[in-house]
Amino acid sequence: MSEEKSLNFLEEIVEEDLKSGKYASILTRFPPEPNGYLHIGHAKSICLNFGLAQKYGGATNLRFDDTNPVTEDTEYVESIKADIQWLGFQWAKELYASDYFEQLYGFAVELIKKGLAYVDDSTSEQIAAQKGTPTQPGTKSPYRSRSVEENLQLFADMRAGKYKDGEKVLRVKVDMSSPNMHMRDPIIYRIKHAHHHRTGDAWCIYPMYDFAHGQSDSIEQITHSICTLEFIPHRPLYDWLIQQLEIFPSHQYEFARLNLTYAITSKRKLLQLVTEKFVDGWDDPRMPTISGMRRRGYTPEGIREFCERIGVAKRDNLIDVGLLEFCVREHLNKEAQRRMVVFDPLKVVITNYEGVETLKSEDNPEDPNTTYRDIPFSKELYIEREDFMEVAPKKYFRLAPGQMVRLKSAYIIKCEEVVKDEAGNITEVRCTYIPESKSGADTSGINVKGTLHWVSIAHAIHAEVRLYDRLFKVENVANEEGDFKDYVNPDSLQIVQNAYAEPALANAKFSDRYQFLRKGYFCMDKDTSEEKMVFNRAVTLKDAWAKEVKKG
């Protein structure tokens, strides 16, 4: 039994609300804008909103905050839904802020009737000037004193399409001298003659985020509306609007957003990386997007465990990407099938061996019920070039002249001779094998310290292997001077065009995860075709990066 974990501040609030009878059950929501792909920061928010509801027997709505018709696209809607389901969650209702356009319009009319909203003809520059500064109070708009009747007519005319973009806005009358700039008569409707991905051309006025968000929460009767810290100054307006409209009092709570080392999560900057071809699309395996991580070979279990471990904080912090990799690695170690793949081949000829035999090797030593696969063994093999040294230092346990190693799931071999070309490059290594040393039935009595992976040349299949590393060279990109793109890691992708794999890999499926022995964890990429198999490295076997940083 794992030790009892202390509750995070949101769990404490929910438990208190349920205990006191404030709510019979809880309802949260995940409200993405359909204007980009979800990233690791959204994964944290998804795990938090859906996880809270799951833990306390509640439910979570998926609500697309589609109030800006210019940037939205159904492609994003579909990708967001796919990402949430892949992470392992299912929403109670699929909703759209645009479902509420008529209701929201009604709320705005009600505010006008109460004398709490007015149509303003000022330009955006004039409105910005009226707002004042954090230390100086704002000045009232000359249109603030319009009558209720005039405002109702003008607002109806805005809806009817009588005005051009930017000609008029609807503002609420709050307090032009409030220390909170968001309360200085914020705009709640603007005119946009733009086609909407759901409502088409039915509307030419659209609610602002601050108006749509809280009211949508209230319409759905969301009990706990969870946002990131930058929405703290928006909360007084959220509460004020609910109070004036006398509607269900949803409550907003804020938590720290996720900032990850060696990564960025700004949609604007991620879009630049895509459009300027620093990466191969939104699902490039180096991207911090959920679709990128999925393509790279990360597992939903690993990402959920990461979100669980980092917890929920009330102040911003920078999380080490090494923790995310650790969580993914821990999960992959349990479920990945083991395979042997040689990236940089060196030919080994076993001079005293003839024929071909089939050996068995376990698919996953971590699994007590592991299955076994057949591997062909023959006279001519490939090993990794780095696993041989002609002049070996003292504690070198791999292959060297006169030295013995075990070939994984096969035999012990001894290096007898090195063959070179005219330029002095090693072209092959000649070895003898010890027939009594067969893995699983070893009677040779010989102990060797090194075990190498290998493939039989005649039976090997070809694959392209993509070795991904961190997208940026610096830990905290946001803190660096100048253009963030100057810090892109030029070595973030290295391609092994022609790796040699054991034949069992020919049956790989896109859903499978593999550990290439001594190399890392891999999955098959969507670029795989009949002609060529392509594999992506999800994570290394150990945290190589931490070692490099220590060395540096």
Side-chain angles (χ1 to χ4, degrees):
M1 168 95 182
S2 63
E3 60 200 77
E4 195 61 37
K5 276 184 67 173
S6 60
L7 300 178
N8 65 50
F9 78 97
L10 288 168
E11 289 169 335
E12 284 175 0
I13 290 166
V14 169
E15 289 204 358
E16 185 50 44
D17 286 349
L18 290 170
K19 202 166 92 183
S20 70
K22 182 177 179 181
Y23 304 115
S25 65
I26 72 158
L27 181 62
T28 62
R29 85 286 170 269
F30 176 62
E33 290 178 71
N35 64 357
Y37 286 80
L38 299 185
H39 55 62
I40 186 69
H42 296 112
K44 176 180 176 181
S45 176
I46 290 166
C47 290
L48 179 55
N49 278 294
F50 284 89
L52 261 182
Q54 268 180 4
K55 180 170 180 178
Y56 295 104
T60 304
N61 287 344
L62 168 60
R63 181 204 314 137
F64 288 99
D65 186 14
D66 57 349
T67 51
N68 184 357
V70 181
T71 58
E72 289 155 5
D73 196 327
T74 41
E75 175 200 343
Y76 295 130
V77 170
E78 294 311 313
S79 78
I80 288 168
K81 283 157 50 173
D83 286 346
I84 296 170
Q85 287 173 320
W86 178 76
L87 276 173
F89 298 107
Q90 188 55 51
W91 48 90
K93 291 179 183 163
E94 179 185 327
L95 302 163
Y96 294 81
S98 56
D99 297 339
Y100 311 133
F101 280 173
E102 196 60 59
Q103 242 172 313
L104 294 169
Y105 178 83
F107 285 153
V109 169
E110 201 177 318
L111 290 170
I112 294 173
K113 285 178 178 170
K114 287 185 166 187
L116 294 171
Y118 60 97
V119 172
D120 195 335
D121 303 4
S122 308
T123 64
S124 54
E125 293 75 25
Q126 287 168 329
I127 291 175
Q130 288 163 17
K131 285 238 170 164
T133 67
T135 53
Q136 285 172 308
T139 51
K140 291 176 181 175
S141 163
Y143 303 99
R144 199 178 197 257
S145 53
R146 274 178 166 152
S147 69
V148 168
E149 291 68 34
E150 190 186 356
N151 281 318
L152 286 171
Q153 186 58 53
L154 288 170
F155 191 49
D157 290 346
M158 281 169 65
R159 177 178 180 167
K162 288 193 180 174
Y163 305 109
K164 293 198 285 289
D165 288 11
E167 225 176 309
K168 288 183 171 17
V169 293
L170 186 70
R171 295 174 71 179
V172 278
K173 274 187 208 175
V174 190
D175 178 3
M176 286 308 287
S177 56
S178 169
N180 181 342
M181 300 289 282
H182 289 280
M183 299 296 273
R184 295 186 186 180
D185 287 15
I187 298 169
I188 61 167
Y189 265 91
R190 79 282 207 202
I191 301 169
K192 268 198 180 179
H193 291 273
H195 187 82
H196 188 278
H197 78 112
R198 281 176 71 80
T199 57
D201 299 313
W203 291 86
C204 61
I205 57 170
Y206 291 96
M208 298 295 282
Y209 175 84
D210 272 338
F211 187 62
H213 181 225
Q215 294 14 272
S216 299
D217 283 346
S218 181
I219 291 166
E220 291 171 25
Q221 303 210 340
I222 299 298
T223 58
H224 299 79
S225 175
I226 300 160
C227 299
T228 44
L229 293 176
E230 68 265 34
F231 289 100
I232 289 177
H234 298 247
R235 193 185 340 136
L237 179 61
Y238 183 105
D239 293 342
W240 184 89
L241 286 164
I242 283 175
Q243 205 179 337
Q244 302 303 331
L245 290 164
E246 299 171 48
I247 53 178
F248 179 86
S250 291
H251 190 84
Q252 176 179 303
Y253 301 91
E254 302 86 12
F255 72 99
R257 67 187 305 149
L258 170 59
N259 299 304
L260 204 57
T261 57
Y262 301 100
I264 51 168
T265 51
S266 147
K267 267 188 204 168
R268 188 176 51 78
K269 289 180 177 174
L270 291 173
L271 183 60
Q272 270 181 274
L273 292 175
V274 173
T275 50
E276 296 176 36
K277 301 277 190 281
F278 282 90
V279 292
D280 170 31
W282 284 96
D283 68 346
D284 183 297
R286 292 163 291 184
M287 288 280 272
T289 53
I290 296 177
S291 51
M293 294 187 289
R294 177 166 62 233
R295 183 175 172 190
R296 184 163 174 164
Y298 282 18
T299 61
E301 294 87 346
I303 295 170
R304 291 201 305 264
E305 171 66 17
F306 168 71
C307 292
E308 178 67 26
R309 279 177 183 246
I310 58 176
V312 184
K314 278 188 176 176
R315 56 193 179 90
D316 278 325
N317 51 2
L318 191 61
I319 305 287
D320 184 357
V321 71
L323 177 60
L324 172 59
E325 292 164 343
F326 171 80
C327 293
V328 169
R329 191 182 289 121
E330 287 281 283
H331 182 247
L332 286 172
N333 184 42
K334 292 192 197 86
E335 72 150 30
Q337 304 266 306
R338 275 40 172 187
R339 295 291 182 263
M340 295 198 283
V341 182
V342 173
F343 291 9
D344 182 16
L346 173 63
K347 185 176 180 180
V348 169
V349 179
I350 303 174
T351 54
N352 62 337
Y353 186 91
E354 294 303 329
V356 176
E357 70 180 295
T358 303
L359 304 171
K360 296 260 183 230
S361 192
E362 72 276 11
D363 284 321
N364 188 341
E366 297 289 317
D367 179 0
N369 306 313
T370 184
T371 47
Y372 288 80
R373 66 191 186 284
D374 292 341
I375 304 178
F377 183 82
S378 65
K379 185 184 185 77
E380 297 192 341
L381 313 170
Y382 281 140
I383 63 166
E384 293 288 352
R385 192 165 286 278
E386 67 178 20
D387 284 338
F388 177 80
M389 274 181 101
E390 194 175 7
V391 182
K394 203 166 180 185
K395 289 204 166 174
Y396 185 80
F397 298 124
R398 287 173 269 175
L399 200 59
Q403 232 165 265
M404 291 194 218
V405 292
R406 173 168 292 287
L407 296 176
K408 169 73 184 159
S409 299
Y411 297 95
I412 293 172
I413 59 168
K414 181 180 182 182
C415 173
E416 308 286 358
E417 187 188 346
V418 179
V419 180
K420 298 181 183 179
D421 63 12
E422 286 150 18
N425 301 310
I426 297 169
T427 54
E428 70 177 62
V429 176
R430 293 188 181 157
C431 299
T432 51
Y433 88 114
I434 294 159
E436 303 76 39
S437 66
K438 189 173 182 176
S439 290
D442 185 354
T443 57
S444 69
I446 299 169
N447 281 327
V448 291
K449 286 198 168 145
T451 299
L452 308 186
H453 65 282
W454 54 276
V455 294
S456 164
I457 296 175
H459 305 90
I461 59 171
H462 296 261
E464 177 182 304
V465 178
R466 298 174 182 174
L467 304 174
Y468 289 101
D469 209 333
R470 301 184 178 172
L471 186 51
F472 291 96
K473 295 179 289 194
V474 291
E475 190 171 69
N476 191 351
V477 188
N479 275 3
E480 300 296 334
E481 298 287 313
D483 188 343
F484 78 99
K485 296 189 294 294
D486 296 342
Y487 301 96
V488 170
N489 175 10
D491 302 320
S492 61
L493 169 58
Q494 290 173 335
I495 299 178
V496 180
Q497 295 285 2
N498 206 354
Y500 293 86
E502 59 167 279
L505 204 59
N507 307 319
K509 296 197 288 289
F510 286 107
S511 56
D512 292 339
R513 300 283 176 271
Y514 294 99
Q515 185 195 97
F516 291 176
L517 292 183
R518 304 171 64 226
K519 289 295 185 185
Y521 293 98
F522 293 80
C523 72
M524 193 157 68
D525 187 71
K526 67 177 188 182
D527 289 345
T528 292
S529 64
E530 289 296 323
E531 288 74 56
K532 183 169 67 172
M533 300 183 85
V534 180
F535 289 89
N536 297 329
R537 181 173 70 191
V539 281
T540 53
L541 286 179
K542 296 188 175 72
D543 188 356
W545 193 275
K547 281 191 208 154
E548 282 305 310
V549 171
K550 275 190 192 131
K551 266 197 250 169

